[in-house]
Structures are given as C-alpha cells and as structure tokens.
Amino acid sequence: MQYDHILIRYGEMALKGKNRKMFILKLQENIQHKLNDFPNVKVKRTQGRMFILLNGHQPEPIIERCKHIFGIQSMSLAIKVENEESVIKEAALFALKKNPTIETFKITVKRINKDFPIRSQEMNQLLGRYLLTNTDNYTVDVHQPDMEIRVEIRLEATYITSSVIKGPGGLPVGTSGKSLLLLSGGIDSPVAGYLAMKRGVQIEAIHFHSPPFTSERAKQKVLDLTKQLTKFGKSIQVHIVPFTKLQQEIFRTMPDGYAMTIMRRMMMRISEQVCDQQSILSLTTGENLGQVASQTMESMNAINEVTTYPIIRPLITMDKSDIISISQEIGTYETSILPYEDCCTIFVPKSPKTKPKREKASHFEKKNDFSELLKEAVEGIETIKVTAKDNKKDTLDDLL
Ligand code: ATP
Ligand code: MG
C-alpha cells in the first residue's frame, strides 16, 4: 500500500462563474508543465476534482513543486482503492500509521456512490473500530483530532486522504492576460512581478541598460532575477533596451530637476512600443508610494501622462519591510542586494524635483527632438528567453 495520488483543491476558482472551465484547464496545464520532468506523472480531472497520479514517483518532491503553482489552494496525499470494505479498511489503516507522531484521529466518510452498500455513518464506526483494534497508541477525538482521515466513496473508486497541505493560492498564471514588467536589479520590481503572477498574470520583462555605465554583470543580475521568477510560471522573455544614448541626451539637454521625470517618461514610451509588438495590454512596476523622489504622487502623475496603458503597481501601498519579507520568501532578495549599477542610480540629478508637473515635463521635452533616439533604442532591443528548465534542479535542491 502507498500514496498514489495527490488531490488538488482550487477553492477561489470556484467563484469565477463562466471562466471556471478555462481556469481549471489552465491549472491542469500548468501543473502538467511544471512536473514534466517526472515522466510517469499524469494530471487528471474527474467531476470537480483534480488529481496528480504519481505512477510510482515519490510524492514529496512533487508536493514541493506544487507549492509554487498558483491556483492551488491546498493538496492532500491520497490513496485510490476499489469500492470494497476490506481494502478501504487497509488503506485507512495505512494512512493512520503513516503519521506516527499523532495521538488522536477522526474518520469522515462521504458516500457519493449510493450503490455502495454501507451507509456513511455505519462505515465511520466500522472503520474507527478497525483502526483502534489494529493499533495501540491512538484514540478517537471527533472534535479536535490531530488527524482527520477522509474517506470518499465515489462512483469509480474510493479515495482516502489525510493531512491538508497548504498551496500558494492565487490564480493560475496565464488566466489574467499578459503584462510587461519593468524589471530593475532592485528589491521591488521582482516582488511586483511575483505578485502579478500570483494574480494569474503572465509576464514579460523589460530592462533599461546603459552600458558602459552599467555593466554586463548588472544585466546578468536581471536575468538571474527573471530566472527566479520562472519558478512560478513558464519561461519569461526579457527585453533589454540599450538606453545609454537616449539617457545621455536627456541629461545633457533637459533641466536637471526634470531629467529623471523625463527619463521615466521615455521608459514608458519604449515599454508601450514593446507592448504593441508583443500584444501585451498593461505595464507592471515596483513603484511604492513615497519611497523615493520618483515615486511621489506628483511624480507618478507626470510619468503616467505619456501612456494610456494601465500600470499595475502591486507594491504601491506596502511597507518596505513587507516587500523585503516577500523577496526573501521567493528567493530574489539575495540576488537583489548584490551591488550593481542601475541606469537610474548612475545618472542621478543633483536635485530631482520631488513634485514635477506634467505640463512642465512635456514643455521641456518639446525643446528637443528625441524621436530618432527613441526609435534607435527600440530597434536595438535584445530579447532573451529565460527558461524555467535550467533551474528546476536548483529549485528542488533548495527545497528538499
Ligand atoms: P526597484 O527596487 O524595483 O529597483 P526602486 O525602489 O529602486 O525599485 P525606482 O528606482 O524609483 O524604485 O524604480 C521604480 C520602478 O521603475 C522599478 O520598480 C521598476 O519597475 C522600474 N525601473 C527602474 N529602473 C529600471 C530599469 N533600469 N529597467 C527597468 N525598469 C526599471
Ligand atoms: Mg531601483
């Protein structure tokens, strides 16, 4: 006897009415994709349930992998047996003995298949008695058991499940459209990307790179951060924008106090063009209200003027300490804090306006024609596909 299934529960998705079917299919596809290096594993749906069939694989590494798949609310190890009293008894006994640390248990039988001859209540008692007779150290506690053994007698078979393992929640990646994540090498933007993915968003990333002021290492850092995000989804495309010339021209020709605002506006314009090319409908940033000069309300107002795309700002109201906690949890923190040069930190104006005005920003911009440099930056974009594959092994080693 052994656990041969993992039962997947997907609570919140039940609320999604018409989209429900699409969400469930996406979740099934995402699970199958994340587990494709376990060759015998299958993901099946039956009547409102999703199961992973282990087919001989050990459940532990698979459970660990599933803790990163958004849309899974919880999981339980399950044993599938025939609808027959004696095998059900054996399976329940196995589930109890698998958990030697507990003292009390409770059995909950659900008889969905009314052809099964023993009623739920009677089956409860029968199984309880069987487990007590065949073990020494357990007692029944129906109110606060250490372990609840659930026995579900369904049409096709009976499933015995025990402890409930928490999943990550959220919605399956790919069910909420695509967004372009403005990814720097800092702490915030990877966390913003993670939170968007948790809400079902598939992301591509864009990074503004200013060589030789920013090094190859800074670019590699962004790719490393992206790789960490692929743990939660599939591969991610990263668009690296050569930003040096445009940035130099901005800082050469624009008033010092407005250079940063205008640089951000250029980032938005370029991002929008990438969205157009890639059929992406929104931008995502790691902005956080009041953190630095570029993130005051006035600043956001001035920067936002140049785009009509919705900007998702998952961190906007969060405390920095909470952002840091998430980045530690998801494994991006260690990479984010490595020293690096960012295009925004290299060209720091002496006195950036903390309350820029959009009219002024656009007035200054008109004094110079940036269109050629903008075009050149877009044409020079290098797109790199960062795949989840390469880090699957790391992920497992990290977790086990
Ligand atoms: P982060 O920790 O994400 O770097 P931050 O607190 O340093 O954010 P800013 O430097 O003001 O804040 O950047 C605000 C947001 O602008 C970032 O979260 C990111 O989404 C975007 N951004 C900044 N620099 C770059 C860059 N070089 N490439 C792409 N996006 C960037
Ligand atoms: Mg930064």
Side-chain angles (χ1 to χ4, degrees):
M1 185 81 56
Q2 61 176 339
Y3 283 114
D4 48 10
H5 285 61
I6 298 169
L7 168 65
I8 302 290
R9 300 186 193 84
Y10 40 82
E12 183 177 6
M13 286 164 40
L15 303 172
K16 284 282 174 177
K18 270 189 194 161
N19 285 334
R20 195 162 185 271
K21 182 100 201 231
M22 188 265 281
F23 280 76
I24 293 168
L25 286 174
K26 196 74 196 173
L27 179 62
Q28 182 181 16
E29 180 197 317
N30 290 354
I31 297 174
Q32 189 77 59
H33 179 266
K34 268 279 173 263
L35 300 178
N36 64 7
D37 54 340
F38 296 95
N40 302 329
V41 160
K42 293 259 171 325
V43 187
K44 284 253 149 69
R45 286 176 294 116
T46 51
Q47 303 149 14
R49 286 300 169 90
M50 199 177 294
F51 286 103
I52 297 173
L53 278 64
L54 295 171
N55 288 325
H57 288 286
Q58 288 302 311
E60 291 80 8
I62 292 175
I63 295 253
E64 288 308 323
R65 200 66 78 69
C66 288
K67 286 183 181 169
H68 292 154
I69 303 175
F70 297 129
I72 298 181
Q73 289 297 318
S74 70
M75 303 163 265
S76 292
L77 286 169
I79 313 167
K80 182 182 179 184
V81 292
E82 280 170 42
N83 290 344
E84 199 192 300
E85 188 188 330
S86 62
V87 273
I88 297 174
K89 279 178 172 169
E90 284 318 306
L93 184 62
F94 167 82
L96 182 64
K97 283 185 169 169
K98 262 277 180 191
N99 239 327
T101 53
I102 60 135
E103 292 174 358
T104 60
F105 73 90
K106 167 190 178 179
I107 293 186
T108 309
V109 176
K110 212 165 149 188
R111 188 180 60 137
I112 292 152
N113 179 354
K114 300 296 176 203
D115 289 340
F116 187 77
I118 309 168
R119 289 162 158 260
S120 301
Q121 197 44 38
E122 196 182 330
M123 192 68 182
N124 259 333
Q125 290 163 359
L126 229 147
L127 285 173
R129 231 176 294 132
Y130 184 78
L131 297 197
L132 290 173
T133 325
N134 287 282
T135 54
D136 293 326
N137 306 318
Y138 302 101
T139 51
V140 171
D141 179 347
V142 290
H143 300 295
Q144 271 196 320
D146 296 334
M147 177 185 186
E148 182 179 1
I149 301 170
R150 293 168 194 261
V151 177
E152 221 175 89
I153 304 164
R154 300 176 73 89
L155 287 181
E156 73 286 6
T158 294
Y159 293 93
I160 289 107
T161 59
S162 55
S163 44
V164 176
I165 304 150
K166 214 168 163 329
L171 302 173
V173 172
T175 54
S176 303
K178 240 201 241 178
S179 189
L180 184 65
L181 172 69
L182 278 78
L183 186 61
S184 69
I187 294 171
D188 301 337
S189 39
V191 175
Y194 162 81
L195 290 173
M197 290 170 87
K198 186 167 181 193
R199 216 48 215 161
V201 176
Q202 187 190 344
I203 57 167
E204 290 193 16
I206 184 166
H207 177 67
F208 297 88
H209 185 46
S210 298
F213 306 103
T214 59
S215 63
E216 260 318 284
R217 214 185 37 179
K219 175 172 147 190
Q220 188 55 46
K221 188 181 178 190
V222 168
L223 296 176
D224 291 345
L225 288 169
T226 307
K227 192 173 258 187
Q228 278 144 6
L229 290 178
T230 61
K231 253 198 309 215
F232 305 97
K234 298 183 180 169
S235 49
I236 297 175
Q237 300 225 60
V238 187
H239 307 280
I240 309 275
V241 184
F243 203 43
T244 319
K245 277 194 187 168
L246 183 57
Q247 205 173 9
Q248 280 178 314
E249 182 69 2
I250 294 168
F251 281 81
R252 193 178 67 77
T253 58
M254 296 290 107
D256 196 57
Y258 270 82
M260 195 178 59
T261 307
I262 291 168
M263 181 189 79
R264 297 276 183 196
R265 286 161 64 104
M266 295 299 171
M267 284 185 174
M268 291 298 160
R269 291 185 173 105
I270 293 170
S271 299
E272 225 185 66
Q273 290 200 38
V274 172
C275 286
D276 278 349
Q277 286 168 8
Q278 304 292 117
S279 310
I280 297 175
L281 299 180
S282 73
L283 305 172
T284 297
T285 72
E287 285 165 302
N288 179 246
L289 201 50
Q291 223 184 64
V292 289
S294 65
Q295 298 179 30
T296 60
M297 196 69 84
E298 290 79 2
S299 188
M300 266 188 274
N301 181 284
I303 294 165
N304 221 144
E305 184 192 27
V306 303
T307 178
T308 55
Y309 280 67
I311 302 181
I312 301 173
R313 300 182 174 94
L315 312 185
I316 196 69
T317 61
M318 284 173 72
D319 284 348
K320 188 72 182 183
S321 58
D322 294 334
I323 299 172
I324 290 177
S325 300
I326 299 178
S327 83
Q328 286 168 333
E329 251 166 58
I330 64 174
T332 53
Y333 184 73
E334 291 304 319
T335 310
S336 287
I337 59 171
L338 292 173
Y340 80 112
E341 329 77 30
D342 180 53
C343 69
C344 305
T345 46
I346 289 290
F347 296 87
V348 197
K350 281 180 234 60
S351 50
K353 277 250 178 297
T354 54
K355 296 187 174 179
K357 297 208 165 45
R358 41 164 77 178
E359 307 75 42
K360 281 200 170 171
S362 101
H363 164 78
F364 292 133
E365 277 173 358
K366 287 196 187 99
K367 290 182 186 277
N368 194 2
D369 183 7
F370 290 103
S371 57
E372 266 311 303
L373 287 174
L374 266 173
K375 191 161 160 253
E376 215 179 289
V378 173
E379 283 170 1
I381 288 177
E382 177 196 7
T383 298
I384 298 168
K385 186 173 171 182
V386 177
T387 62
K389 271 246 159 27
D390 327 338
N391 70 12
K392 270 200 175 147
K393 193 162 177 310
D394 307 345
T395 317
L396 262 189
D397 289 347
D398 288 351
L399 289 165
L400 288 176

